[in-house]
Amino acid sequence: MKARAAAGQGTRRYFAYSTILDRDAFVEWRSQHGYDFFELPAGEQGEATGVSLVYDFPSRWWGGRVAGLADTAGARVCGVVFEIAEKDWPVIQHKEGAVTGMCVERAVTVTLSSGAVVEATAFTTNPARKSLEGPVSNRFVEALVRGARSAGLPAAWVDALGKA
């Protein structure tokens, strides 16, 4: 990761594992929120280790619970690491729900497809908003599967997502 020389400069590693990977849906969201200037850069596939998906945020918009991350020894979550310009980080924060307090940032260790191990920032459910009540959102799971497929994530991972 490049050093942050001054406010708004440098980059941040972002580990995306959720609906942002559904490129068509992201482009639509981006347009609806006035972020047409922002392009999600090419990323590298990887596995965040020591975490698992947990459906722990009840979302009215999705009509059920959506996924965050839980510390789980020996587990992994597949996703993509992107280098995001510091000046564009607020777009990612908005998309992930940090602006509304739905999610918070957390560090994850990711083994990239190249074999490199890096630290990245992921978003997970705000602890104050976690709940396991209600059903998992089928629409959200469908978006996860679409995103994982479009990102070229491993077929076994895509299949496992569809069984949530």
Side-chain angles (χ1 to χ4, degrees), residues 76-145:
R76 66 181 178 84
V77 171
C78 293
V80 178
V81 173
F82 299 99
E83 291 280 343
I84 304 295
E86 188 73 35
K87 68 180 180 52
D88 293 329
W89 192 249
V91 176
I92 301 301
Q93 289 175 312
H94 188 177
K95 173 62 176 137
E96 289 285 7
V99 171
T100 61
M102 180 183 93
C103 289
V104 295
E105 295 180 18
R106 66 156 295 162
V108 291
T109 301
V110 182
T111 303
L112 298 172
S113 57
S114 65
V117 177
V118 299
E119 292 295 313
T121 300
F123 290 81
T124 191
T125 305
N126 182 334
R129 304 202 46 195
K130 286 183 179 184
S131 174
L132 297 176
E133 293 182 25
V136 171
S137 166
N138 288 331
R139 280 182 42 238
F140 180 82
V141 171
E142 289 167 4
L144 279 181
V145 169

Side-chain angles (χ1 to χ4, degrees), residues 22-38:
D22 182 348
R23 290 281 180 149
D24 291 339
F26 177 69
V27 168
E28 181 179 341
W29 176 90
R30 187 185 70 185
S31 180
Q32 292 170 349
H33 291 86
Y35 295 124
D36 287 324
F37 65 90
F38 178 76

Side-chain angles (χ1 to χ4, degrees), residues 52-56 65-68 134-145 156-164:
S52 61
L53 287 184
V54 59
Y55 293 84
D56 63 355
R65 288 182 289 134
V66 300
V136 171
S137 166
N138 288 331
R139 280 182 42 238
F140 180 82
V141 171
E142 289 167 4
L144 279 181
V145 169
W157 177 252
V158 175
D159 290 345
L161 287 174
K163 296 174 182 161

